[in-house]
């Protein structure tokens, strides 16, 4: 599997045309080392949870499904002092404290109302904070952390 | 002015509180506005429109790279999708609301949407090396560049106007806060001044009170000294005068001529009156100072009343009044000082005799009345008008001063009697009607009633 992913990553970096199923949608990087790469299938194999919340970019309370952000790092697990750099498809990056992922069920949503998210609807991965469950998260600064079209998570 | 300030110090305090509350409220409004400002720059319309323009250009860039043979069509399709997502973001959630609130001409946005829908099929159909089709798509997109840039500028303009408004608001709030704070400080200073003056006045009053207390102690001491002077320097010579006169009267130095005898009699009688007055004054002083000593012991009131009637019989006969025992209960005992109670009875009986008409009667009774012993002394004389009935127990009070000389007395007796009865925990009462006579009542706790001390104290207060 790992080897397959590595090949997939290599082919992707070479810019060769590849099948949609094999396309890497998320890279997880620890420091300088790439520790995992997921295509849509691999991502859907992960254990997911559901977060029902609203935010500035949806018109009503919406059901998001996806794996927990903190589960991306297991060896060693996230430390409160870690920084997570979240990078989008368009190379836009935000830095969030790892404590966000530890304190709240921040998910890498892949499904919205049960349907997979396309690039056009902020997919394939949208970082979602459970804002409706924690009033302190409605603070404006958290809005900026809802990065969509997520492509890479880096721990620093 | 200062007094006025004192009166209004609470108003001042309320004012300070009010100003502080208003300030706090303004500050909390300020905070919410600050939160508004902190609303991430990245969720502002100008940023999102900027991003749309950016992704628009990036798509064109990818398309151009594809045409030049430097990129594959998937890259172009990804950029197309991202561009589409940017447009979608502008039409949902609070971002859309904010965009609408800005009143910016949204025609370019609609044009971009139109263009994306129009070109979608062609972009998605791109395959293999670039051809004329790709160049055609690029031309279609480049037409909109100008309009999109104009929208971007207009949005930035609108955002900055909003920011200016917010800043103006902030400035206004901070100005108001400044003024309110100045008012609060002013009011606090004023209030502090008032409280300071108040404290100073209180201190002054306290000092005055201390001075008064010292003075009043000095006065009490002077009075005590005076009483002791009266006691020694007045009574002692008076006793020797009265003794000498008594010897003269008794013929110890030979019998006197009739005129001399008359003069001695006058001197002796006035001397006795003077001695009585001094005794009364000293008694009164003791009672008022609470220094009167009551020796409480079992005391036979029946015997005491009878003794008092006998003792006053001579005086009554002189006044041509008969003292009559109407109803004397046997074996009535109280806890008290027989000497002092005798003084009370003597006073009441002699008063009754004194104020009765010649040939009149004075009725004396002693009864048990519940847990009390009640002595009643009734005369049928002048009576006491209602307005005098309370004053009569005060010092130097007699009903009619024209009567005073005719009947003698110091006007201290009732006052002393009342003091003595109350010292016993009893009550001295009076009922009277003009021309019909008076009824004085003495009520004392019966000895065999084991009444607790405080009940007596209550009785004293009630009296």
């Amino acid at each position: 599997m790992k080897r397959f992913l590595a090949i997939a990553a290599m082919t992707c970096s070479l810019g060769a045309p590849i099948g949609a199923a094999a396309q890497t949608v998320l890279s997880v990087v620890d420091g300088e080392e790439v520790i995992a790469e997921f295509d849509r299938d691999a991502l859907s194999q992960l254990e997911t949870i559901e977060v029902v919340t609203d935010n500035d970019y949806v018109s009503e309370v919406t059901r998001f499904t996806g794996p927990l952000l903190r589960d991306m790092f297991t060896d060693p697990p996230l430390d409160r002092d870690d920084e997570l750099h979240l990078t989008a498809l368009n190379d836009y990056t935000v830095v969030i404290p790892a404590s966000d992922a530890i304190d709240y069920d921040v998910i890498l949503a892949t499904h919205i109302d049960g349907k997979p998210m396309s690039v056009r609807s902020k997919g394939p991965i949208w970082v979602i904070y459970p804002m409706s469950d924690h009033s302190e998260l409605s603070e404006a600064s958290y809005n900026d952390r809802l990065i969509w079209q997520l492509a890479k998570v880096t721990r620093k | 002015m200062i007094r006025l300030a004192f009166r209004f110090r609470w108003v001042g305090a309320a004012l300070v509180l009010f100003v502080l509350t208003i300030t706090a409220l303004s500050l909390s409004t300020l905070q919410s506005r600050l939160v508004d400002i902190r609303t991430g720059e990245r969720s502002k319309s100008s940023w999102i429109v900027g991003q749309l323009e950016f992704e628009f250009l990036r798509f064109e860039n990818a398309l151009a790279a594809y045409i030049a043979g430097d990129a594959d069509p998937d890259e172009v399709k990804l950029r197309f999708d991202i561009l589409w997502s940017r447009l979608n973001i502008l039409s949902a959630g609070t971002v859309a609301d904010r965009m609408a609130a800005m009143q910016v001409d949204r025609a370019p946005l609609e044009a971009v949407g139109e263009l994306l829908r129009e070109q979608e099929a062609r972009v998605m159909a791109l395959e293999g090396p670039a051809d004329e089709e790709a160049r055609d798509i690029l031309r279609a997109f480049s037409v909109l560049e100008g309009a999109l840039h104009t929208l971007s500028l207009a949005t930035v303009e609108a955002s900055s106007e909003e920011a200016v408004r917010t800043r103006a608001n902030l400035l206004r709030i901070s100005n108001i806060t400044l003024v309110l704070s100045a008012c609060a400080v002013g009011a606090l200073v004023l209030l502090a001044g008032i409280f300071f003056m108040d404290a100073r006045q209180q201190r002054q009053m306290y000092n005055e009170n201390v001075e008064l207390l010292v003075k009043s102690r000095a006065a009490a001491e002077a009075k005590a000294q005076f009483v002791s002077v009266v006691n020694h320097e007045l009574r002692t010579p008076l006793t020797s005068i009265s003794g000498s006169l008594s010897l003269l009267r008794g013929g110890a130095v030979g019998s006197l001529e009739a005129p001399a005898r008359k003069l001695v009699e006058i001197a002796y009688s006035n001397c006795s009156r003077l001695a009585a007055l001094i005794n009364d004054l000293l008694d009164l002083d003791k009672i008022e100072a609470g220094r009167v000593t009551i020796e409480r012991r079992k005391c036979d009131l029946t015997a005491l009343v009878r003794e008092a009637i006998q003792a006053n019989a001579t005086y009554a006969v002189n006044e041509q009044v008969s003292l009559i025992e109407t109803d004397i209960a046997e074996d009535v005992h109280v806890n008290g000082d027989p000497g002092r109670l005798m003084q009370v009875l003597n006073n009441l009986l002699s008063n009754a005799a004194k104020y009765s008409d010649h040939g009149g009667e004075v009725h004396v009774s002693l009864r048990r009345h519940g847990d009390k012993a009640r002595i009643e002394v009734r005369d049928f004389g002048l009576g006491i008008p209602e307005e005098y009935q309370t004053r009569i127990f005060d010092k130097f009070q007699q009903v009619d001063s024209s009567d005073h000389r005719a009947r003698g007395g110091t006007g201290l007796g009732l006052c002393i009697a009342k003091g003595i009865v109350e010292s016993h925990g009893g009550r001295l009462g009076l009922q009277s009607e003009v021309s019909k006579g008076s009824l004085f009542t003495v009520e004392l706790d019966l000895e065999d009633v084991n009444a607790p001390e405080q009940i007596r104290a209550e009785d004293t207060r009630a009296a």
Side-chain angles (χ1 to χ4, degrees):
Chain A
M1 178 71 185
K2 212 169 181 178
R3 199 170 150 196
F4 169 77
L5 282 176
I7 294 166
M10 209 160 70
T11 49
C12 186
S13 67
L14 288 172
I18 45 165
Q23 197 173 8
T24 298
V25 291
L26 179 68
S27 312
V28 181
V29 182
D30 198 353
E32 298 296 322
E33 186 197 349
V34 179
I35 57 166
E37 291 192 318
F38 299 93
D39 58 18
R40 268 191 187 275
D41 277 350
L43 210 53
S44 63
Q45 310 277 306
L46 298 176
E47 194 184 332
T48 61
I49 69 157
E50 219 175 77
V51 169
V52 178
T53 184
D54 69 344
N55 58 48
D56 274 8
Y57 309 102
V58 291
S59 304
E60 55 193 357
V61 174
T62 309
R63 182 162 55 91
F64 296 94
T65 322
L68 282 164
L69 173 55
R70 59 172 170 269
D71 287 351
M72 295 295 124
F73 300 91
T74 47
D75 188 28
L78 284 179
D79 185 86
R80 299 190 75 81
D81 296 332
D82 291 341
E83 266 184 359
L84 294 178
H85 293 239
L86 308 179
T87 309
L89 279 178
N90 65 346
D91 304 322
Y92 170 73
T93 302
V94 290
V95 180
I96 67 164
S99 56
D100 277 7
I102 295 168
D103 296 341
Y104 306 107
D105 288 342
V106 178
I107 61 166
L108 306 177
T110 55
H111 288 67
I112 183 164
D113 288 331
K115 290 189 290 274
M117 284 186 280
S118 66
V119 173
R120 292 185 191 186
S121 57
K122 307 184 188 69
I125 300 171
W126 189 0
V127 175
I128 291 295
Y129 279 61
M131 289 179 162
S132 297
D133 298 339
H134 301 274
S135 57
E136 68 272 20
L137 293 180
S138 47
E139 169 83 20
S141 59
Y142 287 101
N143 245 338
D144 297 342
R145 301 180 185 177
L146 303 180
I147 185 168
W148 54 75
Q149 294 164 350
L150 180 76
K152 194 166 77 171
V153 180
T154 310
R155 164 156 73 176
K156 286 192 176 167
Chain B
M1 169 63 197
I2 289 172
R3 285 196 178 283
L4 198 72
F6 285 157
R7 196 165 305 154
F8 285 107
R9 63 189 159 173
W10 296 117
V11 178
L15 200 72
V16 170
L17 200 68
F18 177 72
V19 168
L20 287 177
T21 310
I22 295 281
T23 311
L25 283 177
S26 314
L27 287 176
S28 75
T29 320
L30 189 73
Q31 200 186 21
S32 75
R33 298 222 178 219
L34 284 174
V35 168
D36 263 1
I37 289 169
R38 281 182 59 198
T39 297
E41 286 294 323
R42 278 163 286 204
S43 55
K44 273 191 177 169
S45 314
S46 57
W47 164 263
I48 289 171
V49 171
Q51 285 292 298
L52 175 68
E53 193 190 359
F54 175 72
E55 293 301 342
F56 189 90
L57 295 175
R58 222 169 157 188
F59 167 72
E60 285 185 335
N61 217 8
L63 196 55
Y66 168 61
I67 291 165
D70 289 341
D72 61 85
D74 282 345
E75 172 71 10
V76 177
K77 287 173 197 169
L78 177 63
R79 291 297 148 201
F80 187 78
D81 279 346
I82 293 175
L83 175 57
W84 202 303
S85 77
R86 286 287 152 188
L87 191 70
N88 285 342
I89 288 159
L90 275 165
S91 43
T94 49
V95 181
D97 300 342
R98 275 195 209 130
M99 201 61 199
M102 276 195 160
Q103 296 175 333
V104 172
D105 179 16
R106 295 166 53 119
L109 279 184
E110 279 146 27
V112 171
E114 188 69 20
L115 182 68
L116 289 184
R117 271 190 295 279
E118 208 176 274
Q119 302 293 332
E120 175 161 23
R122 295 173 77 189
V123 172
M124 289 301 147
L126 290 176
E127 279 291 346
D131 51 14
E132 191 52 35
E133 177 81 346
R135 282 189 202 89
D136 201 43
I137 295 172
L138 186 55
R139 272 193 293 279
F141 270 82
S142 59
V143 171
L144 272 181
E145 268 174 37
L148 203 53
H149 191 60
T150 313
L151 171 71
S152 176
L153 290 180
T155 315
V156 169
E157 181 76 11
S159 298
S160 87
E161 269 170 27
E162 201 178 80
V164 167
R165 273 199 300 278
T166 312
R167 251 174 252 133
N169 261 336
L170 277 180
L171 201 65
R172 198 167 52 82
I173 291 170
S174 86
N175 281 342
I176 291 172
T177 309
L178 199 68
V179 171
L180 288 175
S181 306
C183 288
V185 168
L188 273 174
V189 167
L190 190 73
L191 207 61
I194 290 170
F195 277 111
F196 174 73
M197 283 191 289
D198 193 19
R200 210 171 56 173
Q201 211 200 25
Q202 295 284 349
R203 208 162 44 234
Q204 207 175 333
M205 271 166 61
Y206 170 77
N207 288 340
E208 278 169 11
N209 283 343
V210 167
E211 208 173 311
L212 274 178
L213 191 67
V214 168
K215 276 183 186 164
S216 85
R217 271 194 195 144
E221 210 154 300
K223 190 183 159 198
Q225 227 162 7
F226 170 73
V227 168
S228 114
V229 167
V230 167
N231 202 3
H232 280 94
E233 311 298 322
L234 216 52
R235 200 157 66 162
T236 316
L238 197 63
T239 313
S240 75
I241 293 169
S242 137
S244 307
L245 285 174
S246 174
L247 287 174
L248 276 177
R249 276 176 76 221
V253 288
S255 59
L256 296 170
E257 296 290 321
R261 185 174 192 82
K262 198 177 173 193
L263 286 175
V264 168
E265 281 298 333
I266 291 170
Y268 181 73
S269 126
N270 278 307
C271 197
S272 302
R273 270 182 63 192
L274 197 54
L277 176 61
I278 289 169
N279 280 338
D280 279 359
L281 275 173
L282 289 172
D283 267 353
L284 192 66
D285 180 67
K286 274 188 199 163
I287 286 167
E288 282 186 342
R291 282 186 287 118
V292 64
T293 44
I294 305 289
E295 283 175 42
R296 290 293 192 98
R297 55 188 155 92
K298 186 175 176 180
C299 140
D300 183 349
L301 206 56
T302 309
L304 208 65
V305 170
R306 291 216 165 103
E307 198 182 317
I309 291 170
Q310 265 180 357
N312 283 278
T314 327
Y315 179 78
V317 168
N318 283 345
E319 297 282 337
Q320 299 174 27
V321 173
S322 20
L323 294 181
I324 298 171
E325 292 178 17
T326 52
D327 180 10
I328 303 288
E330 298 299 331
D331 294 325
V332 177
H333 289 92
V334 296
N335 222 338
D337 184 330
R340 289 294 182 180
L341 290 177
M342 190 58 161
Q343 197 179 346
V344 172
L345 289 172
N346 276 339
N347 178 268
L348 293 181
L349 290 179
S350 62
N351 271 353
K354 198 195 293 176
Y355 291 102
S356 288
D357 299 326
H358 291 310
E361 290 179 349
V362 171
H363 293 178
V364 183
S365 69
L366 168 63
R367 289 192 204 95
R368 287 190 183 82
H369 191 84
D371 57 353
K372 310 272 185 201
R374 179 188 278 197
I375 303 166
E376 287 184 355
V377 179
R378 184 189 293 277
D379 68 62
F380 302 92
L382 293 171
I384 300 157
E386 212 175 321
E387 63 265 34
Y388 286 101
Q389 284 183 14
T390 46
R391 275 169 53 196
I392 199 154
F393 295 106
D394 292 344
K395 275 179 272 184
F396 303 109
Q397 289 294 333
Q398 283 179 327
V399 171
D400 189 345
S401 54
S402 67
D403 226 31
H404 170 87
R405 284 177 198 285
R407 303 189 191 255
T410 59
L412 293 174
L414 272 179
C415 183
I416 292 168
K418 187 165 189 267
I420 291 171
V421 171
E422 284 173 3
S423 304
H424 279 81
R427 190 200 296 245
L428 176 58
L430 163 65
Q431 284 173 297
S432 184
E433 214 173 310
V434 177
S435 323
K436 289 200 174 163
S438 309
L439 169 66
F440 284 88
T441 324
V442 177
E443 274 186 354
L444 294 166
D445 288 330
L446 282 169
E447 194 266 345
D448 51 353
V449 175
N450 292 323
E453 203 60 31
Q454 70 245 49
I455 288 178
R456 280 185 200 149
E458 265 170 28
D459 284 347
T460 313
R461 264 204 301 281

